[in-house]
Each structure stands twice: as C-alpha cells, then as structure tokens.
Amino acid sequence: MRKSLLDLINKTIVYKYDLPNSGAGIFSTIYSTENDRCYAANDKDDIAEIIFNSIIEYSFNEFDITGKDYQALHTVALRNKLKYNPAATEETKIKYGFFGEVLLYSLLMVMFKAKPLIARGYFYNPLENAETKGYDSYQLVENKGITELWFGEVKFHISHISGINSVMENIDKALSDWYFENNIIAIHNHKNNLNLKGSKIEVILNEWEQNPIIKIGDEIKKHGIKLVYPILLLYEDDLKGYDGNIKKIPEYIKKKFSAKKFSLSIDYSIFFILLPIEKVKETKLSVIQWIESRKPPML
C-alpha cells in the first residue's frame, strides 16, 4: 500500500472502543463471537479520498502495481476490475458496491494487518456487467500459528436499518459450507495470481487440484484454518452523539433478529466493524465526480 494512502487512513479513521463497552452502556451484537470494533471518521472528504485511492490496491495485487503508472491503473480498474458505468444515472452509481468494498479492504489491511490473499479485481467479469460475486474481501492473517481467512462483508447505506437488514438476508448463506467452499474453488481459478505465495490455502488448492474428490472443508480443518467474518457497517451519522450512533446497531439487531447457530462446519468467528459517516451520499458523489474528472490518484 502506498505510504501516502496508509498515512491518510491512519489520520482519518480513528479507533474509539470495543463492544461490549460497560462504560458507555453498549453491548455487542447477538451474533458477535468476539468484540465488535467501533471507529470514527475525522473528515468525510478524507473518507472520499480513501475510497477513490484504494480502488487501485483493492483491484490489483501488489506485484501488479509496482513500477506502474497510478493514473493508468486507476483507469483500468474502473473499466476492468469493478462495476462502474459512467453512462449510468447518479441514482445507480451511488448504489455500486465498490464504495464499501474498497473501504473494507483498507480497514482490514491497515487496522487488522489482514493482507490480501488475492485482489478482488480478479473476480470481476466485465461481460456480466454485474457486481463481483463472493465474499467482499479475501484477506489473510497468521495469528499465533493459526491461519485465519478474513472473508468479510460490507454494507454502505444511508440508513443503518437497511444496511443491517441486507447483512441478515445474506448471513446464513455466507456462513454455510457450500458457499465457503465455492469461494475457495473460485480462488483456485486464479491460483497463479495469489498475492501471498506459500500459504496453507495454496497447499490446499494444490491438493484439491490433484485429488478433486476430497472435501475442501475437511482439508481446511486438517490444516487448522479458521474463517473470520468481519461485517463492516458504514451508515449516516445522525449527529446525535457518537455513542448513540453505535448503540442503535446492537439494539436494532437484538430487537429484530434472533441469535442462531450457522451451518458452517469449520472454525469461525464473527464481529462487526461500525463506522458512522457524515453525509454518506455526498461522500459517494465526491468519489464519482473525481472519477469522471479523471482526478490524479495519490502517489
């Protein structure tokens, strides 16, 4: 990641506290198996800058970027690595998934040291003209000898309610064996483009290639690999105080949904990352304006 972008992220996105937080009287969500993390944004314009510039690192592996022209990479990414149609209406553009996905990538990379296993740009198909399928992040952490696959989800809505509802519509599928294994198989299709060489995942992909009747889930368990499912919620700051903006998330989830066990058979954990943002629509419109004016990315 460019140092200029790394510095901007560290300056702009500030850790506040974990949930549960007894001092603030806020509990964690009923789905979380580990502490939720809460962040604040110092400046909405800088959030837009992070989104605009993170498009490059989100779309390409590090070895694809080194020595290349950033303006050219940015242009290629918007044409060939994520869904963006300059002829679409404003209403359509602000619903594109990349706004949240690039922030998820950057937050996991910088705040949690989760390195990209493979750039998600490899999974976009321009012929389909549809959002990229699969988890919203493919990142990896080596934690005390355990390999953790950080395959996450992000929702970037004005309303926290619509964001949460969208997460809940998808969570059973996301935490199921067939969906997880299909994502691993999709990564196999791009095995030669892995950003991290020599990982346990590469070993499993090679084993499956040689013996495709083996169950990927069993191999994941054999190698002691864990799925970490971070859920990033980006939503409008209602300007009624930071704690109130955070508290309404676990309260709404508890009121509207019931705790449950998921069918995924491998070891996994779930937590939420909460980041209220001032003026969500205006933030996205700034990014769109910079894209279409061909603003130069940071060096």
Side-chain angles (χ1 to χ4, degrees):
M1 178 176 283
R2 285 162 286 171
K3 185 178 184 302
S4 56
L5 178 55
L6 177 65
D7 291 344
L8 180 63
I9 294 167
N10 281 320
K11 182 190 81 170
T12 304
I13 302 175
V14 180
Y15 169 78
K16 300 294 285 186
Y17 48 68
D18 277 17
L19 300 181
N21 184 325
S22 57
I26 310 174
F27 48 83
S28 56
T29 85
I30 57 174
Y31 290 98
S32 301
T33 62
E34 56 182 90
N35 288 1
D36 300 315
R37 274 71 156 193
C38 305
Y39 292 84
N42 282 336
D43 189 300
K44 71 175 178 64
D45 292 330
D46 284 344
I47 289 291
E49 282 280 3
I50 292 169
I51 294 170
F52 177 78
N53 282 281
S54 294
I55 287 170
I56 294 174
E57 277 82 353
Y58 163 87
S59 299
F60 299 98
N61 284 333
E62 185 177 351
F63 57 77
D64 296 319
I65 296 172
T66 304
K68 302 289 181 61
D69 178 77
Y70 290 125
Q71 183 74 71
L73 287 170
H74 203 270
T75 301
V76 170
L78 290 163
R79 183 66 181 86
N80 195 37
K81 299 294 184 180
L82 53 82
K83 184 179 181 182
Y84 188 83
N85 179 4
T89 65
E90 178 183 290
E91 182 181 4
T92 297
K93 290 174 183 174
I94 63 173
K95 294 178 182 177
Y96 286 150
F98 79 88
F99 294 103
E101 290 169 13
V102 300
L103 272 177
L104 176 64
Y105 163 84
S106 290
L107 265 171
L108 296 185
M109 178 77 171
V110 176
M111 307 302 180
F112 297 91
K113 313 304 179 189
K115 298 178 181 179
L117 176 63
I118 185 171
R120 281 199 84 240
Y122 283 108
F123 298 88
Y124 176 69
N125 185 345
L127 292 174
E128 290 184 352
N129 191 32
E131 296 287 356
T132 306
K133 306 296 192 299
Y135 294 108
D136 290 339
S137 66
Y138 293 120
Q139 290 168 248
L140 183 147
V141 171
E142 294 289 351
N143 185 9
K144 299 177 182 178
I146 296 174
T147 297
E148 298 177 343
L149 299 176
W150 286 54
F151 291 0
E153 176 88 6
V154 59
K155 298 298 174 186
F156 194 176
H157 296 199
I158 293 175
S159 165
H160 69 285
I161 290 175
S162 66
I164 293 169
N165 290 346
S166 184
V167 167
M168 295 308 160
E169 289 170 4
N170 186 62
I171 196 166
D172 284 303
K173 179 181 76 174
L175 295 172
S176 66
D177 285 338
W178 74 266
Y179 188 75
F180 173 76
E181 291 179 10
N182 283 344
N183 274 264
I184 298 295
I185 291 171
I187 291 172
H188 174 269
N189 292 338
H190 303 280
K191 184 166 67 77
N192 293 332
N193 296 314
L194 290 179
N195 190 56
L196 299 175
K197 298 296 183 180
S199 69
K200 289 182 181 178
I201 281 296
E202 189 170 10
V203 172
I204 290 171
L205 294 176
N206 288 332
E207 290 173 349
W208 181 77
E209 191 173 89
Q210 294 167 15
N211 184 12
I213 66 170
I214 64 174
K215 294 189 66 175
I216 288 176
D218 291 342
E219 295 302 301
I220 292 285
K221 294 173 193 173
K222 184 177 79 175
H223 287 273
I225 295 173
K226 176 182 179 180
L227 173 68
V228 177
Y229 188 59
I231 304 167
L232 173 59
L233 286 180
L234 303 148
Y235 53 97
E236 187 95 4
D237 185 336
D238 62 15
L239 305 180
K240 295 180 180 178
Y242 182 79
D243 289 350
N245 272 295
I246 296 301
K247 190 174 185 177
K248 64 188 180 185
I249 303 302
E251 285 186 344
Y252 177 78
I253 292 173
K254 185 177 181 180
K255 179 180 178 181
K256 294 294 183 180
F257 303 95
S258 301
K260 62 171 72 175
K261 290 185 177 180
F262 300 98
S263 63
L264 186 65
S265 62
I266 68 166
D267 188 20
Y268 68 88
S269 63
I270 309 167
F271 70 95
F272 282 77
I273 304 170
L274 306 181
L275 179 55
I277 291 176
E278 184 182 347
K279 297 182 179 179
V280 165
K281 183 177 180 180
E282 286 83 347
T283 297
K284 293 183 178 182
L285 288 176
S286 292
V287 176
I288 293 168
Q289 179 187 353
W290 296 338
I291 287 172
E292 300 191 352
S293 65
R294 289 184 54 80
K295 174 181 172 175
M298 301 168 69
L299 299 178

